[in-house]
Amino acid sequence: MRIFLTFWVFFTLAFADSAFARTVYVIANPSIQVSKLTQDELEKIYLLRQPYWPDGRAIVPVNREASSDLREFFSNLVLKQSMRSLSNYWDQMHFRGKSPPVVQGSNESVIAFVRKIPGAIGYVEELANLDGVKVMAELP
Amino acid sequence: MHQVGEICELGLFYGRISAKTRPILLTQMHSNSRSMSKLLKVVRIGILCAMSAGPLHAAHAQSDDYILGQGLNAGSFNIAGYATVEAHAKKGQDAGLLIDDLSLFVKGSVNRVINPFLEVEMAEADLWFEGSPPLKNIDPRVDIERLYNDFILDDHVTFRVGKILSPVGEWNSIHAGPLVWTTTRPLTSYRNYPEFVTGVSAIAEGLGAQELRVETYWQPGSDLDGPDPSNVAYLFHNTYGLHAELPLGLTDKIGLSLQGADVKGTREKQFLVGLNGRFTLDRLEIETEMTWTALKHPLVVRKHKTEYAGYVQGAFAISDKLYLIGRGEFFRDRNFDRTSRNFLIGLNYRPKAPISWKLEYVEQSGPNLGISSGPIASFNILF
């Protein structure tokens, strides 16, 4: 019984850790006149199928670097695609003349970029130092 | 109304599709230097445009980092390209090593009405072929592949003016070596219609819940910087058409192409109907393009008044990076009694998305319409 309880506690904690440890915050430049985004809208933005905000400003999606596990998490959760499929897709879109998401290498640089560029939208893992950007969604 | 049409795209590109049989060559110094001066001129125009428009486009400043496959973001401009180096030992031809494509494009967006794109390619530069010293007969062809400007009318509609890739099927629109599975390009994807159109086009994207994409286009007269007659089966002018594409997934889709054109040098008219599709079934990706072309003129004598062509290709993921490719194609040409057929088996190794190594063997039968039997290998990179 003790062994069973030990395993039960271990697996519960392990599961709880994977389920709750990671929260992704979708942030945007404060000039954007949209306050919330759904996962479907985010998917359209990152797949370059929604190029403009409702006010006509171009959307500039920001991605993390290819080796980032946060990018992998975001790709699986929101875009529901593997990193490799997405890279192929963005390369094809790039060849067709569309701009793939801009890549930034850290939470800080994503925040700095989104703060600076009107129309920019990105995702970060921590809520620290979010001055000058607004949070549009919290995932999952 | 939109305030900004931000993404600035002016493109310079060198590159082109492989697998057209190249006539054995003639090294003419003056044609070589003419090609190079044309290339330099285009590069100069691209750089000047980029420099002059750059300051106007601070609104969409991007990361200045270079990303393999997506080029260099320099302020509001993106400069990228791709290269294909090919080695072949095709039946009836000297074995050779060539830079089949070296492409460069620069793209940018200044506002809703100034969104230029320029792509230039240097193709078929022989590095070596059997019986000749290396680098003796480099004689690249330089072409303007795309040169257009987009006028963004609203979220879904773009009006485009200039030279574009003819939207028939998909291979012709996304033909860069690193983005296709094989070095050998199917005949169906280029032989019997114009690969380029110079004129006007209207593109509607994201239509309805199914995100339908429709492109219509019209080319009055001839193409800008048209193809060298020795490199194509037929020359065309007065082209018009429509391509509709229904996405079924990230890259899965079905497409319908309709295109009318006049065959240059004759008074013959042709009308093409094409279907294309891509379907992913677990580890297998199936891709197909089919065309049917009707030819019309009472005085032009052809073996057939209709032409049929099509291929089916499968790419099976052996692992995350290695793919087994198989393809079968038929082409019943207007000028030949017999149908041309070719079958391909090959491997595609993609260590990273923008890089691929390809090794394939093609077996061809019937009239040779531009694909020869033999092994071909290539290295492809999108940079």
Side-chain angles (χ1 to χ4, degrees):
Chain A
M1 185 64 179
R2 191 184 298 163
I3 292 171
F4 172 76
L5 280 174
T6 307
F7 273 104
W8 184 80
V9 169
F10 174 80
F11 281 114
T12 304
L13 287 175
F15 180 75
D17 184 56
S18 64
F20 299 111
R22 199 145 221 183
T23 304
V24 177
Y25 299 96
V26 177
I27 58 170
N29 187 277
S31 65
I32 292 164
Q33 295 163 10
V34 174
S35 53
K36 276 186 184 171
L37 281 175
T38 63
Q39 281 205 19
D40 281 353
E41 288 165 330
L42 266 176
E43 185 184 348
K44 279 187 178 178
I45 287 171
Y46 275 85
L47 296 183
L48 316 178
R49 290 174 182 160
Q50 186 184 326
Y52 298 101
W53 295 110
D55 66 357
R57 201 185 298 269
I59 300 178
V60 185
V62 184
N63 216 349
R64 286 293 300 274
E65 73 281 12
S67 59
S68 160
D69 60 345
L70 180 59
R71 172 165 160 177
E72 187 169 7
F73 182 74
F74 183 81
S75 300
N76 291 330
L77 181 71
V78 176
L79 309 179
K80 301 170 196 82
Q81 302 289 340
S82 71
M83 301 260 282
R84 179 168 283 266
S85 304
L86 285 165
S87 291
N88 286 334
Y89 173 78
W90 282 319
D91 286 345
Q92 287 185 8
M93 291 297 106
H94 185 226
F95 186 77
R96 277 190 158 182
K98 292 191 172 185
S99 295
V102 173
V103 172
Q104 295 290 330
S106 67
N107 272 333
E108 291 71 29
S109 55
V110 170
I111 294 166
F113 186 90
V114 169
R115 187 184 292 136
K116 184 178 158 196
I117 305 300
I121 180 169
Y123 56 89
V124 292
E125 202 163 14
E126 296 147 22
L127 265 176
N129 194 20
L130 289 182
D131 295 343
V133 297
K134 70 177 181 183
V135 177
M136 307 273 277
E138 193 177 315
L139 306 169
Chain B
M1 294 294 286
H2 302 301
Q3 296 168 345
V4 198
E6 281 155 331
I7 299 157
C8 193
E9 316 181 7
L10 166 72
L12 266 185
F13 218 175
Y14 302 82
R16 186 186 177 88
I17 312 87
S18 54
K20 289 185 185 178
T21 310
R22 180 182 163 95
I24 313 287
L25 296 191
L26 19 124
T27 313
Q28 294 173 349
M29 285 306 290
H30 79 278
S31 85
N32 210 347
S33 64
R34 213 169 47 204
S35 292
M36 291 316 287
S37 75
K38 187 160 98 177
L39 171 68
L40 288 171
K41 200 169 168 185
V42 171
V43 169
R44 213 177 296 136
I45 292 167
I47 290 169
L48 282 173
C49 290
M51 287 170 67
S52 62
L56 299 173
H57 193 59
H60 190 255
Q62 296 197 341
S63 162
D64 290 338
D65 294 335
Y66 171 76
I67 301 166
L68 187 66
Q70 293 174 10
L72 177 70
N73 290 317
S76 45
F77 286 84
N78 177 271
I79 302 166
Y82 75 88
T84 296
V85 179
E86 176 186 321
H88 64 83
K90 295 173 189 167
K91 195 175 165 186
Q93 294 179 34
D94 294 327
L97 177 71
L98 67 150
I99 298 173
D100 190 45
D101 294 310
L102 177 57
S103 295
L104 185 66
F105 60 83
V106 181
K107 50 181 190 155
S109 162
V110 178
N111 54 39
R112 288 177 57 209
V113 294
I114 305 175
N115 300 283
F117 186 107
L118 172 64
E119 171 187 350
V120 178
E121 75 162 16
M122 182 182 80
E124 297 174 347
D126 289 304
L127 300 176
W128 169 81
F129 59 84
E130 215 173 349
S132 174
L135 306 178
K136 187 150 185 217
N137 294 305
I138 303 177
D139 175 29
R141 196 185 68 237
V142 177
D143 296 313
I144 296 173
E145 290 262 303
R146 288 182 276 182
L147 176 59
Y148 61 76
N149 186 68
D150 278 347
F151 300 86
I152 298 158
L153 302 186
D154 68 23
D155 285 13
H156 302 291
V157 182
T158 299
F159 184 65
R160 186 168 284 178
V161 178
K163 182 174 182 178
I164 60 171
L165 296 166
S166 180
V168 175
E170 191 181 23
W171 198 299
N172 194 50
S173 301
I174 306 179
H175 61 244
L179 301 177
V180 293
W181 288 115
T182 64
T183 309
T184 307
R185 181 172 173 173
L187 297 163
T188 310
S189 71
Y190 69 88
R191 182 176 165 81
N192 63 342
Y193 63 84
E195 289 175 66
F196 307 97
V197 174
T198 304
V200 292
S201 68
I203 303 157
E205 293 180 286
L207 300 177
Q210 298 303 313
E211 306 271 333
L212 186 69
R213 182 182 192 276
V214 180
E215 181 169 2
T216 57
Y217 53 95
W218 175 51
Q219 171 188 298
S222 294
D223 184 22
L224 169 74
D225 190 33
D228 183 337
S230 66
N231 280 325
V232 292
Y234 310 103
L235 290 169
F236 301 95
H237 60 153
N238 300 329
T239 309
Y240 59 92
L242 173 151
H243 179 72
E245 202 172 87
L246 182 69
L248 302 174
L250 189 64
T251 55
D252 287 5
K253 63 190 69 171
I254 50 172
L256 167 72
S257 306
L258 305 172
Q259 186 188 73
D262 295 350
V263 183
K264 235 176 183 174
T266 73
R267 289 165 63 195
E268 191 175 28
K269 293 181 182 300
Q270 73 170 44
F271 192 80
L272 175 147
V273 179
L275 286 172
N276 65 286
R278 182 186 292 126
F279 313 96
T280 306
L281 309 162
D282 195 21
R283 302 170 73 137
L284 178 66
E285 182 190 292
I286 296 172
E287 181 182 311
T288 183
E289 288 190 22
M290 305 279 168
T291 62
W292 173 87
T293 308
L295 298 145
K296 195 176 170 189
H297 192 274
L299 299 179
V300 179
V301 180
R302 302 280 190 193
K303 291 279 183 191
H304 306 287
K305 284 288 183 189
T306 53
E307 227 169 30
Y308 304 95
Y311 73 85
V312 178
Q313 176 181 279
F316 179 78
I318 297 169
S319 72
D320 199 27
K321 296 174 181 173
L322 185 64
Y323 298 83
L324 176 67
I325 316 296
R327 186 173 68 222
E329 182 180 28
F330 70 93
F331 199 112
R332 195 185 79 164
D333 190 270
R334 63 193 73 179
N335 287 331
F336 293 88
D337 264 339
R338 292 169 56 214
T339 300
S340 178
R341 291 188 170 80
N342 63 81
F343 297 93
L344 179 149
I345 183 91
L347 291 170
N348 186 314
Y349 175 63
R350 289 184 168 178
K352 294 178 102 174
I355 295 174
S356 71
W357 295 86
K358 302 174 192 172
L359 176 64
E360 64 207 35
Y361 182 83
V362 182
E363 185 60 41
Q364 189 268 341
S365 63
N368 186 329
L369 304 179
I371 290 181
S372 301
S373 296
I376 303 167
S378 69
F379 169 72
N380 308 264
I381 183 165
L382 202 57
F383 55 83

